[in-house]
């Protein structure tokens, strides 16, 4: 009898989780970085597929995240010593996304509980992983906050509360602005459905960001043939200098 009860519970779990599912679309799933790349906007849109009637209490909310490749980062603190700004303390952050955007259908603290944020690492601070720090540094959180401030100013970290348009608890859409200074790689895209702050459904896909054309050629050359890349850079610099000099001489003669 116990085995039958456990089997019924196991079957009921997936069915309950499948009551609301995300059907997602992207305006584009690839971003090409060229020499004149100035950024891109990705439209993320979709619908919520249901097997049961819409629940209005509590209402459904949507959270969308787009995360670039994770990299370790060293954050240094500068202090004024004898009238000169110098680096003092430094903390190695184990993993931080090179780009991170969060868009929600409402205020983040209302649509997502802290426990769910901790479990799924949805907000920007939760997406950054910093395990250890030097013994002489006691305020490690300040270094993480500094990294967030810097990358927010650079347009690499963004939070858009209310940035997801949700229509009749079924259709949703948001636009994610991706700046020109993107890191090449795979950008994980996640959509979370929440009720009363708890995640009740999720969907994951990805956006590919790749260098193409001259950007790809120079990047590959710098990694695979650094000597040839250095010589090419030197030749371009000499040619540019000679061209500018010749132009000035022509202007003086004119």
């Amino acid at each position: 009898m116990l085995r039958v009860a456990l089997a019924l519970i196991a079957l009921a779990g997936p069915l309950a989780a499948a009551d609301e599912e995300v059907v997602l679309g992207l305006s584009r799933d690839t971003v090409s970085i060229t020499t004149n790349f100035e950024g891109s906007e990705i439209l993320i849109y979709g619908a919520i597929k249901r097997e049961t009637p819409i629940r209005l209490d509590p209402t459904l909310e949507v959270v969308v995240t787009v995360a670039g490749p994770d990299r370790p980062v060293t954050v240094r603190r500068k202090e004024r010593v004898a009238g000169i700004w110098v680096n003092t303390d430094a903390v190695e952050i184990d993993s931080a996304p090179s780009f991170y955007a969060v868009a929600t259908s409402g205020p983040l603290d209302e649509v997502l509980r802290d426990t769910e944020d901790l479990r799924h690492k949805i907000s920007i601070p939760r997406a950054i992983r910093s395990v250890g720090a030097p013994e002489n540094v006691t305020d490690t959180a300040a270094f993480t906050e500094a990294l967030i401030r810097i990358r927010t100013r650079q347009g690499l970290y963004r939070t858009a509360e209310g940035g997801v348009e949700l229509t009749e608890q079924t259709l949703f859409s948001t636009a994610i602005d991706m700046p020109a200074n993107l890191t090449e790689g795979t950008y994980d895209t996640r959509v979370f459905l929440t009720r009363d702050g708890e995640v009740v459904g999720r969907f994951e896909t990805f956006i590919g960001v790749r260098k193409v054309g001259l950007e790809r050629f120079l990047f590959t050359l710098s990694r695979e043939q650094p000597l040839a890349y250095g010589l090419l850079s030197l030749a371009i610099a000499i040619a540019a200098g000679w061209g500018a000099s010749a132009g000035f001489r022509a202007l003086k003669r004119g």
Side-chain angles (χ1 to χ4, degrees):
M1 192 70 180
L2 178 60
R3 290 180 180 178
V4 173
L6 290 175
L8 290 173
I9 292 172
L11 289 173
L15 290 175
D19 282 349
E20 293 177 314
E21 297 179 354
V22 175
V23 180
L24 188 69
L26 300 172
S27 60
R28 54 194 302 188
D29 58 9
T30 302
V31 175
S32 299
I33 300 177
T34 60
T35 52
N36 59 350
F37 179 71
E38 296 181 353
S40 181
E41 182 182 76
I42 304 293
L43 177 63
I44 300 174
Y45 56 92
I48 299 159
K49 178 183 176 182
R50 294 183 173 87
E51 301 295 336
T52 58
I54 297 175
R55 289 179 55 195
L56 298 179
D57 185 25
T59 59
L60 185 74
E61 303 288 353
V62 179
V63 181
V64 178
T65 69
V66 178
D70 287 336
R71 297 286 188 273
V73 182
T74 299
V75 181
R76 292 181 172 84
R77 172 184 286 153
K78 287 180 178 285
E79 293 184 357
R80 200 176 185 87
V81 178
I84 302 174
W85 288 99
V86 297
N87 292 326
T88 53
D89 300 327
V91 169
E92 178 81 14
I93 293 176
D94 302 88
S95 179
S98 56
F99 171 85
Y100 200 82
V102 184
T104 67
S105 57
L108 185 58
D109 59 351
E110 294 181 10
V111 304
L112 187 69
R113 294 183 180 179
D114 288 340
T115 52
E116 294 291 86
D117 189 13
L118 180 62
R119 180 179 297 114
H120 298 282
K121 297 177 173 55
I122 295 174
S123 67
I124 293 175
R126 296 297 188 190
I128 298 172
R129 186 166 61 89
S130 183
V131 177
E135 293 182 358
N136 61 314
V137 178
T138 57
D139 57 341
T140 55
F143 289 80
T144 301
E145 292 169 0
L147 176 65
I148 294 173
R149 285 197 306 271
I150 293 169
R151 291 194 168 176
T152 299
R153 287 197 299 266
Q154 294 172 340
L156 293 171
Y157 285 175
R158 304 179 179 191
T159 300
E161 295 182 298
V164 176
E165 183 178 350
L166 180 60
T167 305
E168 296 183 357
Q169 298 281 289
T170 301
L171 303 176
F172 65 89
S173 65
T174 187
I176 303 295
D177 290 324
M178 306 181 78
N181 52 337
L182 289 177
T183 299
E184 186 180 32
T186 299
Y187 284 60
D188 296 324
T189 303
R190 302 180 295 170
V191 177
F192 297 91
L193 306 179
T194 69
R195 286 188 185 278
D196 197 25
E198 294 186 357
V199 174
V200 296
R202 61 181 290 173
F203 182 88
E204 295 187 27
T205 185
F206 65 89
I207 299 168
V209 176
R210 299 287 183 269
K211 293 182 174 70
V212 297
L214 182 60
E215 283 286 320
R216 163 55 59 185
F217 169 74
L218 293 175
F219 178 81
T220 303
L221 188 65
S222 67
R223 296 296 187 274
E224 297 180 357
Q225 301 182 47
L227 178 59
Y229 175 78
L231 292 174
L232 178 61
S233 300
L234 181 60
I236 292 174
I238 293 173
W242 179 86
S245 177
F248 282 125
R249 287 198 299 269
L251 288 174
K252 285 183 179 179
R253 287 198 299 269

